[in-house]
Amino acid sequence: MHPPEGTGSLSPSLYTDGGQDIAREIFEQEDHIFADKDLLNVDHVPSAERIVGRDDEIRKLAEELRSAVDGHSPENVIIYGKTGTGKSLVAKHVSTSAQGLAKEGVSIGTAYIDCSTDNTETQAISTLAREFNEPERTDVDVPETGLATAVYYKRLWAVLDILYDVVIVVLDEADMMASDDLLMKLSRAGETGNTDAHIGVIAVSNKVEWADDLNERVKSSLQPKELAFQPYDATQLREIMENRRDAFEDGVLSEDVIPLCAAFAAQDFGDARKAIDILRHSGQLAYRQSDEQVVESHVREARTEAEKDRFKELIEGHPQQAKAILLALSLLSANSEKDEFQSQLVYRQYTNIAEKIDMDSLSDRRFRDILKEQAFLDIIDVWKENLGRSGGINLYCRLIENPEIVVEIISGDPRFEGLSLVNAATPSEN
Ligand SMILES: Nc1ncnc2c1ncn2[C@@H]1O[C@H](COP(=O)(O)OP(=O)(O)OP(=O)(O)O)[C@@H](O)[C@H]1O
Ligand SMILES: [Mg+2]
């Protein structure tokens, strides 16, 4: 059998016609932009002295956990706030410092669960038991899978009793848990005599409604203290980035780069992750274009790229109908001075598109449902206008994203190819 084309020896494909070794050229290129790029990685956990602008939140959380260091029961805490506001960072930082600063004779354990990965009770409890366990000291075996949930709990309680006076469990992305059972059992563990260790839970979520919706049963046994994290303002974002300036070689960052990254990120929801992301991308662009310095134009370009990536991720897997509706609204916005449109107008534009690509058009009602779903995802704004005495209602919508970007991304989908070139034959308002 012949190997499929291109899978033979690797080496020839590394050379261009001119015989140059492209890979080698890239690997040997001096990095004159970054001194320590890891400081800007998404999963980089900054050390305590690089955490800025969250003193109050750190203080409040530490106060709630204060009794842990003396070997007593810490408070349970729910941390909520928008994405990129430092919730995970602060939760990890404060819980691990409590562990490190435990009084003599007090043994504190901490575990971190990402409920977006371990989203069933069994998975989470298995991870918890393994994180806390030290098999050579406990002689308890906790296999990753294969035990019944109740058995995992038993082993967890056994491990806690042998090793710890107090444990702090961080449940990050807690709203992704399939049920509240884990929270329930952790909060009742002492009361029900399952373990002598004191358990404190820090549940973290970026769904503000989640904390409110937690059912009464869980709330009454968890008795959580709530801690809200506000979005960062431009000054705080600037400080966060200034603290990582040493990711770059000396003198490479021109003065306006960090302030501009901060201004963009502050505009887009005060998200520190986004600010750092734009900064890293700006550096990468400068590097790729072999520029001496990172300057404003790199930041602008990086921001557009970041927006595209984010939006692509957001609508990946959306049904074609939803994409057609978004495309309709985007084409209207891109071709008009206005940015607010009556839903009827968008519906007509949508049916035009559906016809052009030979797709069934949804009913007006279904169309409105999809508009509302998109509003829920913060892609568009939707609002109603009451028409006074007549009792009628007009539905309006506005695209939150940049229309050019949405058009570009959606027309990248083969089904919609070429539609961006079709000038939105803007249907008349009446
Ligand atoms: N105060 C800060 N000082 C330094 N770096 C920060 C600060 N706040 C956030 N960061 C950095 O920004 C990024 C996002 O922070 P973090 O993961 O804590 O946000 P989050 O609120 O948990 O967001 P999400 O809700 O999306 O999980 C991380 O890379 C973190 O290191
Ligand atoms: Mg987080």
Side-chain angles (χ1 to χ4, degrees):
M1 227 173 82
H2 294 289
E5 215 167 303
T7 57
S9 153
L10 265 179
S11 43
S13 62
L14 290 177
Y15 294 89
T16 60
D17 291 345
Q20 282 166 310
D21 182 343
I22 302 168
R24 184 191 186 110
E25 206 172 278
I26 290 171
F27 291 142
E28 285 185 352
Q29 191 180 342
E30 239 4 271
D31 187 347
H32 59 286
I33 298 283
F34 292 107
D36 184 358
K37 202 172 174 182
D38 288 346
L39 291 176
L40 304 177
N41 268 350
V42 248
D43 42 9
H44 170 77
V45 181
S47 50
E49 68 281 4
R50 289 187 199 268
I51 305 179
V52 284
R54 280 297 178 234
D55 294 359
D56 280 351
E57 288 77 4
I58 293 175
R59 185 174 302 114
K60 283 185 191 148
L61 183 57
E63 276 163 9
E64 304 300 355
L65 303 186
R66 175 65 188 78
S67 4
V69 296
D70 294 326
H72 303 303
S73 197
E75 302 291 332
N76 296 311
V77 183
I78 291 184
I79 298 181
Y80 59 89
K82 291 234 163 101
T83 185
T85 53
K87 301 180 298 297
S88 301
L89 177 62
V90 168
K92 281 184 204 164
H93 165 64
V94 178
S95 55
T96 50
S97 13
Q99 183 175 28
L101 296 169
K103 297 279 152 65
E104 219 181 303
V106 175
S107 161
I108 301 186
T110 57
Y112 174 86
I113 304 273
D114 180 350
C115 304
S116 65
T117 332
D118 288 330
N119 63 350
T120 68
E121 185 185 13
T122 314
Q123 266 169 350
I125 207 70
S126 151
T127 304
L128 263 187
R130 275 176 297 112
E131 280 211 21
F132 282 127
N133 195 17
E134 292 175 29
E136 60 297 345
R137 289 176 63 200
T138 59
D139 216 14
V140 175
D141 174 41
V142 185
E144 192 172 338
T145 55
L147 301 183
T149 314
V151 180
Y152 276 117
Y153 274 112
K154 275 206 184 112
R155 298 202 183 170
L156 172 70
W157 308 138
V159 166
L160 299 192
D161 280 337
I162 300 170
L163 296 177
Y164 306 104
D165 302 306
V166 185
V167 292
I168 300 171
V169 177
V170 179
L171 294 180
D172 206 349
E173 316 280 349
D175 52 277
M176 311 277 269
M177 255 338 238
S179 77
D180 295 334
D181 295 343
L182 175 68
L183 265 178
M184 192 66 202
K185 286 184 190 128
L186 289 178
S187 64
R188 294 241 165 126
E191 202 179 304
T192 47
N194 284 321
T195 169
D196 291 333
H198 300 295
I199 302 180
V201 176
I202 306 177
V204 182
S205 168
N206 55 23
K207 307 272 179 305
V208 179
E209 327 78 60
W210 178 78
D212 290 339
D213 291 349
L214 252 195
N215 72 49
E216 287 308 316
R217 202 170 56 112
V218 179
K219 264 197 181 162
S220 79
S221 58
L222 202 60
Q223 302 262 325
K225 297 288 161 47
E226 296 188 10
L227 201 52
F229 279 45
Q230 302 306 326
Y232 290 112
D233 62 28
T235 314
Q236 291 168 317
L237 292 169
R238 209 149 66 195
E239 242 185 302
I240 291 172
M241 286 182 279
E242 282 296 348
N243 259 288
R244 303 193 195 187
R245 183 182 267 279
D246 47 341
F248 293 88
E249 294 286 357
D250 270 351
V252 156
L253 276 191
S254 75
E255 273 323 301
D256 40 10
V257 165
I258 287 182
L260 190 59
C261 292
F264 281 149
Q267 234 173 55
D268 306 338
F269 320 115
D271 176 344
R273 187 179 293 115
K274 195 153 189 182
I276 296 169
D277 224 38
I278 299 177
L279 184 60
R280 191 185 65 247
H281 272 110
S282 308
Q284 258 160 352
L285 283 170
Y287 173 80
R288 255 186 257 138
Q289 297 163 5
S290 304
D291 294 329
E292 294 288 309
Q293 273 207 318
V294 187
V295 296
E296 198 186 305
S297 59
H298 296 126
V299 179
R300 293 188 186 280
E301 200 179 327
R303 190 214 191 186
T304 313
E305 289 302 315
E307 265 183 74
K308 279 188 208 161
D309 287 351
R310 194 183 67 83
F311 184 71
K312 224 183 206 163
E313 217 170 84
L314 199 64
I315 65 156
E316 224 162 23
H318 265 48
Q320 305 277 9
Q321 290 285 2
K323 288 185 183 169
I325 291 172
L326 273 179
L327 183 62
L329 178 57
S330 311
L331 285 172
L332 287 173
S333 313
N335 290 298
S336 151
E337 296 282 293
K338 294 195 311 179
D339 65 351
E340 307 175 3
F341 301 91
Q342 216 180 324
S343 72
Q344 279 308 318
L345 183 64
V346 184
Y347 182 69
R348 263 179 272 152
Q349 176 76 12
Y350 152 74
T351 50
N352 278 347
I353 290 176
E355 198 176 312
K356 283 204 178 90
I357 64 169
D358 211 9
M359 169 195 259
D360 290 337
S361 300
L362 298 174
S363 69
D364 187 32
R365 189 197 185 112
R366 203 39 215 126
F367 163 84
R368 283 165 180 247
D369 286 345
I370 293 185
L371 276 188
K372 286 173 198 154
E373 280 163 32
Q374 306 295 321
F376 180 75
L377 294 170
D378 280 340
I379 298 175
I380 61 178
D381 276 333
V382 173
W383 66 98
K384 285 179 195 163
E385 183 193 50
N386 288 317
L387 296 177
R389 290 219 188 101
S390 71
I393 285 176
N394 273 342
L395 195 64
Y396 280 90
C397 53
R398 184 181 71 88
L399 192 68
I400 298 175
E401 305 285 336
N402 175 343
E404 275 84 21
I405 288 182
V406 180
V407 171
E408 186 183 327
I409 300 291
I410 296 183
S411 46
D413 181 329
R415 183 91 202 250
F416 295 97
E417 224 172 11
L419 269 182
S420 62
L421 303 174
V422 180
N423 193 7
T426 312
S428 77
E429 296 259 1
N430 308 302

